[in-house]
Amino acid sequence: MTAPRWPDVRGILFGADYNPEQWPESVWAEDVALMREAGVNIVSLGIFSWARLEPTPGAYDFGWLDRVIDVLHEGGIAVDLATATASPPPWFSRAHPASLPELADGTRLWWGSRQAYCPSSPDYIAAAARLAGVMAERYGSHPAVRMWHINNEYGCHVAQCFCDASAAAFRSWLRSRYGDLDALNTAWATAFWSQRYGDWEEVLPPRVSPTWRNPTQQLDWWRFSSDALLEVFRAERTAVREHSDLPVTTNFMASRFKPLDYMAWGQEQDLVSNDHYFLGEDPAPEVELSLSADLTRGLAGQAPWLLMESSTSAVNWQPRNLAKRPGQLRRNALQHLARGADGIMFFQWRASRGGAEKFHSGLVPHAGIDSKVWREVVALGAELRSLAHLRGSRVHARTALLWDYEAWWAVELDSHPSADVRFLPAVRAYYESLWRAGITVAVVHPDADLTSYDLLLVPSLYLMRDSTAAALTERVRAGATLVASYFSGIVDERDHIRLGGYPGALRDLLGIRVEEFFPLAAAETVQLSQGGTATIWTELLAAGAAEVVETYVDGPLPGVPAITRNSVGEGVAWYLATSPDPATLTRVLVTAAREAGVAPALELPAGVEQVRRGDTVFVLNHTDRDVTVGGTLVAAGDVAVLPAG
Amino acid sequence: MTAPRWPDVRGILFGADYNPEQWPESVWAEDVALMREAGVNIVSLGIFSWARLEPTPGAYDFGWLDRVIDVLHEGGIAVDLATATASPPPWFSRAHPASLPELADGTRLWWGSRQAYCPSSPDYIAAAARLAGVMAERYGSHPAVRMWHINNEYGCHVAQCFCDASAAAFRSWLRSRYGDLDALNTAWATAFWSQRYGDWEEVLPPRVSPTWRNPTQQLDWWRFSSDALLEVFRAERTAVREHSDLPVTTNFMASRFKPLDYMAWGQEQDLVSNDHYFLGEDPAPEVELSLSADLTRGLAGQAPWLLMESSTSAVNWQPRNLAKRPGQLRRNALQHLARGADGIMFFQWRASRGGAEKFHSGLVPHAGIDSKVWREVVALGAELRSLAHLRGSRVHARTALLWDYEAWWAVELDSHPSADVRFLPAVRAYYESLWRAGITVAVVHPDADLTSYDLLLVPSLYLMRDSTAAALTERVRAGATLVASYFSGIVDERDHIRLGGYPGALRDLLGIRVEEFFPLAAAETVQLSQGGTATIWTELLAAGAAEVVETYVDGPLPGVPAITRNSVGEGVAWYLATSPDPATLTRVLVTAAREAGVAPALELPAGVEQVRRGDTVFVLNHTDRDVTVGGTLVAAGDVAVLPAG
Amino acid sequence: MTAPRWPDVRGILFGADYNPEQWPESVWAEDVALMREAGVNIVSLGIFSWARLEPTPGAYDFGWLDRVIDVLHEGGIAVDLATATASPPPWFSRAHPASLPELADGTRLWWGSRQAYCPSSPDYIAAAARLAGVMAERYGSHPAVRMWHINNEYGCHVAQCFCDASAAAFRSWLRSRYGDLDALNTAWATAFWSQRYGDWEEVLPPRVSPTWRNPTQQLDWWRFSSDALLEVFRAERTAVREHSDLPVTTNFMASRFKPLDYMAWGQEQDLVSNDHYFLGEDPAPEVELSLSADLTRGLAGQAPWLLMESSTSAVNWQPRNLAKRPGQLRRNALQHLARGADGIMFFQWRASRGGAEKFHSGLVPHAGIDSKVWREVVALGAELRSLAHLRGSRVHARTALLWDYEAWWAVELDSHPSADVRFLPAVRAYYESLWRAGITVAVVHPDADLTSYDLLLVPSLYLMRDSTAAALTERVRAGATLVASYFSGIVDERDHIRLGGYPGALRDLLGIRVEEFFPLAAAETVQLSQGGTATIWTELLAAGAAEVVETYVDGPLPGVPAITRNSVGEGVAWYLATSPDPATLTRVLVTAAREAGVAPALELPAGVEQVRRGDTVFVLNHTDRDVTVGGTLVAAGDVAVLPAG
């Protein structure tokens, strides 16, 4: 990653998506006045303006945008200007029907909502790059414009397209990866099921088929599809840079979005930005928010990042869109800030009156400014100004959680031992145990430099490259503590089994050998020897060099080791062969952390979060009761911002 | 609506669909003899006879139908003759493949079941009108034929078609509605998500798309699709009337059928007829039946109506088709009669031996006439003859429940605050509370004349026109009592939010202001201040002029008003900001009814229904125990038919 | 069925699918050495080798297969050689896109997994027959090759195709069945819903349609689709027999596979072979295995059969793939043997390293031969050699369970009284009661000779031909005991109701008359008069000649008979009008068995299976505790193989 470049805006960035074209021009002046009242210092502009800016092919109407930008500039509001390419206008789709996406079953997706384009459509890419260039040429020198917002949430609705153009692009990508068909046939193991390819033209996307498609084909399809959208991003960025050297970003959707390899995408951003929305019905949504923030920081190479979108209260796209309770808007914002955000922005400035997102909250709600939401927005703006010193500071973490999108894609392919083994829940369990212990985690790619981390977590890293196994071994030998879960290190990057006993990549490091998986039935629970329980998975494991920490009391494998610990060089490698209950998992992880010299926060009440950024400690009380932490009273729902002791 | 016109048949109409073409001609004489034994005075004929009447294009075979009608006429059985257009023959579909319907995802529906036609197919409409004309010309003067049964259950399987012909028809309809594209762009709020249309040819049905389609486009699509089928009805009616002035009807499927705006369709019928089938697994199917009957009466402008189809026992299309218990056939029939039906008819005369509906009950079951069903049919025929004096009489109701298909369509669009807010359950809760209190309800369109109603119910009327808000306000000022539920009066007819605080259309009338919705999580329950509970919904509400009747004890908004009451002029406007438990809802509604001078039935046992039609009171005991009501013993499952006291 | 012909291999066949093309040639020698160590005497070869054998159209590469067969022959391993047609190569599908299958909704299925061909594709059939002939010509005389494995698991993914070529083939099949359209119109009851066909070209497969397709069309579609694949089998077999007279088979998937009429297919095999996989999450998977084995024996006319595929431990295609516990591999194998298998084979020899089935267990697991699985394989091979005397011997059974694929297809068509009436669960309940009583069942087609059976079970034989009713009546008159369930004998082979009271085909034999079905609601339970309970179904039944054994205490029909017993001639006919709890069902069935002179095993502990083959009695302990049966101690999980007393 190149060094981050940020827009020329002072203090913590604070603002929102601004969609003035949805409102009469007479409202704009009031908008700017209210922005100033709230302390907004930047807005994202033009994201969905293509149809308005280019109402018919090649005929532009920039007058209204000129006026908006001028009004904002007069008000001292900076602009994060979009390339306006997020959704092509109806005329574009009608003129280029081959640009419409197709599902795996051949269903064509039509215009009438948004993002109705095939990521590999040459027509779309050309048109998007052209518009991006026109925007940069016209506005790149306007003093209000400080950064570029390339497109918007790439792939959020159409991350993969199965049309013929995509098939051709996939073949090109595969030619680059494999060189010749023999290499592809070997990697894809096409000797199985008579799948051998004799001509490149025979190779297709994994369209619907009588039964499971080739797993390596599927894995390469995930890789290709992420790369195809990355090419769109690059084409737009290139067009912008011909006219402007302002920083560029595109807004990610970490942590729940699977299709894009954001670890790779992060390398291409001047600054990493992210959209995060609170999941009302998650049993612990505050943990999910923290994980998203820590992941985004990982995508930024542990540098500060920008929260590009979040909500002041309810969203509109969940089955039941829970509103934020009083104080929650502030607490969620400070949570992002504490975990490395240098800007807090929202979708959107003014709640829409019509359209599919009209029930999404905004900074100015339907009820107007005599409202809880507006008052909290104004207060947040003031508080962020008081925290301007945090900008640029780093979050403290000595624990690394290995996160690899390729491993995520691979572990969730079909036809596996158990459909209950899912990437996010596995990662979340490990993450949540540490969160509750007050141990801050850095989310890192397996190829990252691990030397600054003393505790290494490897949950469900099913696909593991040789280099990763070597790096982990080296780091443990040098004194680190590693904790690996079952179904890690099982296959190589081709999704080929590492033979000779599982987990092939980590067998020696862990000092064990597994000869057979014994997944548990749905809802089956087994007892562990120290009183805990476990679910999902067991395996026929023989401890070699490793010490047996726990065994199964019952289930399919009574007496067989469930948790082991292996001393290697100066370090230790733990292995959890099952999915233990949260208390057991926490006990193991805290023990491992202490071994690694990573101390948990003392006596942290349940539901209270503690994290340090720079010289500031944040204590966030997500509960509805007052608590005392380290002598500080933190009221229900409140946040204490303290100098590091 | 024009004045109702009824067929020239004496007494309560009693009969069934009759499909003689499914049986050897030798059975017909026995059929007529049995009809006479049962007191059948009318049958519906020819509904699915197209393929038999026109076995090849343009070549008609009327001989068998001539003979059937003559046999019926000789037996004194009147004929409700169908236009025979309900299902085009295979030769038609094969000759006109463009007439086959298409789903939103492009899937084509084939012939081989029934109703395989696109409602906007010019070929189908022309062929249906031609056949309707041929039928009317040939049989319009036959003395047995007394009315016309246009088509059958329009839209029951294909209420919407997304093909190119439908797209063209949709555009024509939109041109009529909006005049020009600017008006459409404004109404559809196309500034959102770059959806602006620059050419009419760009406008499409809401086919599958990457994400939510434009909500106003969807709403207009519901409107158009109802109108498109209404045009088919009109084309057939016009063809019939060229040759016959007998009354015409088409059979509705109220109350559960959503796609057709029966409030508009009712205006076009000489007499309103309805098909109703008992839902075995509904927790209170007798309430659902009553609601259907009351709604149908509403579609008929509170005039008598015809139950065109019902079942003597089980149907065949539910997952488990529960049979009617002894006595239930009579009780259900009298329930319809008590709520305004002037005729009780069934599908079908003789249970089929083959085909998809062979397990649907009939008047003559597979087992023959030595059967419970046949004996109950004969007894019902006799009892209906004894109730002939009811024909033409009116049902008494001073309570109006506002029902608007446009509001139904709008409230259930996607991307709303809570998927738990559904039209029918909301209406049902209010209706059922009153049903259990013995208060009879008139279901009326919001634009109806409300002057004869003292209690006005507004459950989930999310979309509300200005005229409705004005009429409700006027009626309350003049002394009526109104009860409105949450999520009523939120948007205008374009689905645009009424700004400034919810519910925009009713804020002043209710004397409250809501600034934010707080939907509850799935299965979440909150406590109310008077001991009850509530689910689904709460909201941040401030009482202005209104009195606070109940507040929330817990949940997201403790202390916030949940139920309010506002005195306006001579009347009162209640507001329920949540979905209370049935006991609480009943308490509020009965209190409001008493305020309105609408007295509930005294001491009505649970499961017992009371309703007055003309000078007759019906007491229907839906339970399996004997009860005493007003001094009258009503045995388990029995019905008392009493003179009004 | 012609007399069975078996391959020239001594003793019990023992082996596996062998896919050497997935491994480097250097591994082959080790493979053969290990096969010899395990006692493997036959392997199936070449099943998915088409793309390797014919890498481009018409250009064959047989060298590697020549070498593999030679290596096997040198090691004394016999070969079951496949026609290699199971999955056409990508080049074939690309060259013949019309050969790709289509779903009922028009979705095309692509290559990239396996079996991507339309069963009625002339191109596929020609190519498969050509390759089968080439294989037989080249290898028919090789001394290692002892039998032919035609194709593989016909229809497992594509049992029905709805494309235009299939439509044409369906029409040809219908012309053969019905002769003219009038006969088809009568059989399909097309007078219903205006479905009358006037031209053969109008007749289609039951593609997606607005609502339920014609039931007889659907039933004929099941018949046609089974026959279409049987034609593929015959084409391949014919091609093979031009060059070889070795025995041929194709591997079935009884008992859970519904689309193929294996009763008809069994007639066409030289030896019947079957694939069976243990269903980990079945509540009693050992019962399901036994039923599969007994059904397969029935497909073989009660002669020995070959277990062509099974698994040494977990499979890969269930949601959670439970591994086999220690000892289970042996116990399952002996279960098949005890119920008539003359060979025990597995998929596959060596667990794959890549591809969709890499997590399917093999004889040589990923961990290698230092493993539980390998040790159990070697032990099983030794034990099978000690049981060679069983080969050719017969299983003892005096109870016949009538099984008819046409009845299965018909009873599960849509639009029936209750979706809870399903064929397999109904059969399983009867089967499991007898299994637990130690009574061995012969599964027979209704047209089979029943004279050797004293107890006849008729569970859910909804469709019943006149001949079946006559045969059952004759057998009961002659002294047999029959037990029939509700919803048996309802329709004829056209799916037309047998009128006059249910069950039309068995009314007289059972001495009862049912006038109306009263299915129960979901999860509804009724009480029976002798203390048991029942679910799913009740009916309004009048006992004529029959004795009433039990009645309903509550539910919709209190006091109505639930179980009856009718003496007819020398025999007895029982009727169960409902679905009783297992204890009640067992009581009735054991009573009926004793009446028939069929004695249950005395004091068989729960979970213990007893079955006699030839002069050997097998006692299989499926529990985790030791038991004593007839004085013999059988350890937990163990199998006792005893001489018949």
Side-chain angles (χ1 to χ4, degrees), chain C residues 360-395:
Chain C
H360 193 295
S361 58
L363 279 72
V364 181
H366 292 146
I369 61 174
D370 179 10
S371 59
K372 176 205 87 173
V373 164
W374 177 253
R375 285 183 287 271
E376 295 199 5
V377 163
V378 172
L380 177 62
E383 183 163 10
L384 291 179
R385 283 193 297 280
S386 77
L387 294 169
H389 59 279
L390 281 171
R391 184 151 168 196
S393 63
R394 294 289 179 125
V395 174

Side-chain angles (χ1 to χ4, degrees), chain C residues 176-204:
Chain C
S176 298
R177 183 176 180 88
Y178 291 111
D180 62 40
L181 270 179
D182 281 351
L184 180 144
N185 278 311
T186 301
W188 287 18
T190 57
F192 178 79
W193 280 0
S194 189
Q195 295 174 348
R196 187 180 173 285
Y197 293 98
D199 187 308
W200 280 104
E201 291 302 309
E202 295 162 16
V203 182
L204 290 178

Side-chain angles (χ1 to χ4, degrees), chain A residues 104-106 164 188-199 201-205 207-217 414-420 462 487 490-492 494-502 513-524 540 555-557, chain C residues 21-23 48-52 55-56 84 87-91 94 101 107-117 157-158 281 312-326 347-348 351-359 361 365-373 375:
Chain A
D105 68 358
D164 288 341
W188 287 18
T190 58
F192 177 79
W193 280 359
S194 189
Q195 295 174 347
R196 187 180 172 285
Y197 293 97
D199 186 310
E201 291 302 309
E202 295 162 17
V203 182
L204 288 178
R207 294 175 181 164
V208 288
S209 193
T211 182
W212 298 297
R213 285 133 343 165
N214 183 295
T216 316
Q217 175 194 26
D414 50 45
S415 200
H416 273 200
S418 173
D420 293 335
Y462 161 77
F487 218 48
I490 302 301
V491 297
D492 64 18
R494 302 167 304 176
D495 196 33
H496 290 201
I497 301 284
R498 295 176 176 277
L499 298 175
Y502 314 114
R513 175 173 177 272
V514 174
E515 67 172 70
E516 198 173 350
F517 301 133
F518 277 70
L520 298 178
E524 185 179 359
L540 184 50
L557 297 170
Chain C
E21 64 267 53
Q22 294 182 23
W23 299 93
F48 289 100
S49 302
W50 189 344
R52 182 81 181 259
T56 54
S87 200
W91 62 254
R94 183 166 166 247
T107 302
R108 170 175 290 191
L109 303 185
W110 296 82
W111 65 88
S113 59
R114 69 172 185 177
Q115 206 180 68
Y117 64 84
H157 307 299
V158 184
E281 302 203 17
T312 59
S313 190
V315 298
N316 63 301
W317 44 265
Q318 296 174 21
R320 292 156 205 88
N321 297 287
L322 306 195
K324 293 198 176 181
R325 302 200 180 185
F347 177 85
Q348 61 179 337
S352 294
R353 185 166 192 173
E357 292 187 332
K358 62 182 169 296
F359 287 110
S361 58
H366 292 146
I369 61 174
D370 179 10
S371 59
K372 176 205 87 173
V373 164
R375 285 183 287 271

Side-chain angles (χ1 to χ4, degrees), chain C residues 164-230:
Chain C
D164 288 341
S166 294
F170 185 39
R171 285 191 285 267
S172 295
W173 184 94
L174 289 167
R175 277 177 190 264
S176 298
R177 183 176 180 88
Y178 291 111
D180 62 40
L181 270 179
D182 281 351
L184 180 144
N185 278 311
T186 301
W188 287 18
T190 57
F192 178 79
W193 280 0
S194 189
Q195 295 174 348
R196 187 180 173 285
Y197 293 98
D199 187 308
W200 280 104
E201 291 302 309
E202 295 162 16
V203 182
L204 290 178
R207 293 175 179 164
V208 288
S209 194
T211 182
W212 298 299
R213 284 134 344 165
N214 183 295
T216 315
Q217 175 195 25
Q218 293 187 61
L219 179 57
D220 278 343
W221 178 250
W222 285 97
R223 289 169 169 140
F224 156 75
S225 297
S226 175
D227 285 357
L229 277 171
L230 189 55

